[in-house]
Amino acid sequence: MDELTTTNIECADRASDIMVRLSSFARPSEGSIDEEADLKEQLDEVLPFVQKQLELNNIRFEVSFPEHIPHVLGNGKEIGEVFLNLLNNAYQAILQKDTENRRLNGEVIGTVRVGAQEEDGKVVIHFEDTGVGIPEDKLEEIYTPFY
């Protein structure tokens, strides 16, 4: 098999894998909020959807999870969807800030950080980015669906 054929097969396999993952997000959630969810596992499930975009646009990605983080009660699939939305929002906010298209010159244009820790018997997870931010007069709208 020549190199071009091999590359095409690898790309088709990757596309197929992405479609399988996307279809799992499209299905209605059947889980319960009373089940245990592994936050690190949920993050690992959604990273392939955004990691390449971040790399291609010179956006640094940092994860800081302790080796042993307790599971939380919740619907893992829905938690994963929230993580994916937060990562996509961070990506878009950083791109908006790059008005001079520095990413095209190979400059790192921003950073997305995800971290978790246990505090007082609770799991705290945080998402942080160096994007444009939310205007103060719009902060109350962030809890409105599809804002």
Side-chain angles (χ1 to χ4, degrees):
M1 223 182 308
D2 67 2
E3 187 177 338
L4 182 60
T5 303
T6 302
T7 301
N8 285 339
I9 291 171
E10 289 171 356
C11 288
D13 287 343
R14 260 191 308 242
S16 175
D17 185 48
I18 289 170
M19 292 305 296
V20 167
R21 287 182 175 167
L22 282 173
S23 68
S24 77
F25 278 105
R27 281 188 223 111
S29 180
E30 296 176 9
S32 161
I33 61 168
D34 295 334
E35 62 192 37
E36 284 194 3
D38 181 336
L39 297 177
K40 179 72 170 112
E41 181 180 298
Q42 295 309 312
L43 183 63
D44 290 343
E45 283 285 318
V46 300
L47 279 181
F49 293 115
V50 294
Q51 205 156 22
K52 200 62 171 172
Q53 287 176 294
L54 297 173
E55 288 172 17
L56 290 173
N57 285 283
N58 296 314
I59 298 171
R60 187 175 295 126
F61 183 71
E62 300 171 2
V63 178
S64 174
F65 267 73
E67 190 171 322
H68 299 288
I69 190 90
H71 291 185
V72 298
L73 287 180
N75 182 304
K77 182 177 172 186
E78 290 179 358
I79 290 170
E81 289 173 13
V82 170
F83 287 0
L84 181 60
N85 287 334
L86 290 169
L87 290 169
N88 277 325
N89 289 349
Y91 166 73
Q92 291 169 0
I94 291 171
L95 286 183
Q96 286 176 14
K97 194 172 184 179
D98 185 29
T99 58
E100 298 174 9
N101 291 318
R102 293 175 306 144
R103 69 185 177 278
L104 301 178
N105 297 325
E107 283 184 56
V108 172
I109 62 166
T111 304
V112 177
R113 290 182 189 88
V114 180
Q117 69 262 2
E118 185 178 2
E119 291 179 9
D120 300 322
K122 296 178 183 174
V123 176
V124 177
I125 186 158
H126 60 90
F127 287 74
E128 178 184 345
D129 66 74
T130 57
V132 294
I134 301 170
E136 205 167 311
D137 63 327
K138 302 286 187 191
L139 283 175
E140 298 218 5
E141 294 182 44
I142 65 172
Y143 299 105
T144 303
F146 306 108
Y147 163 71

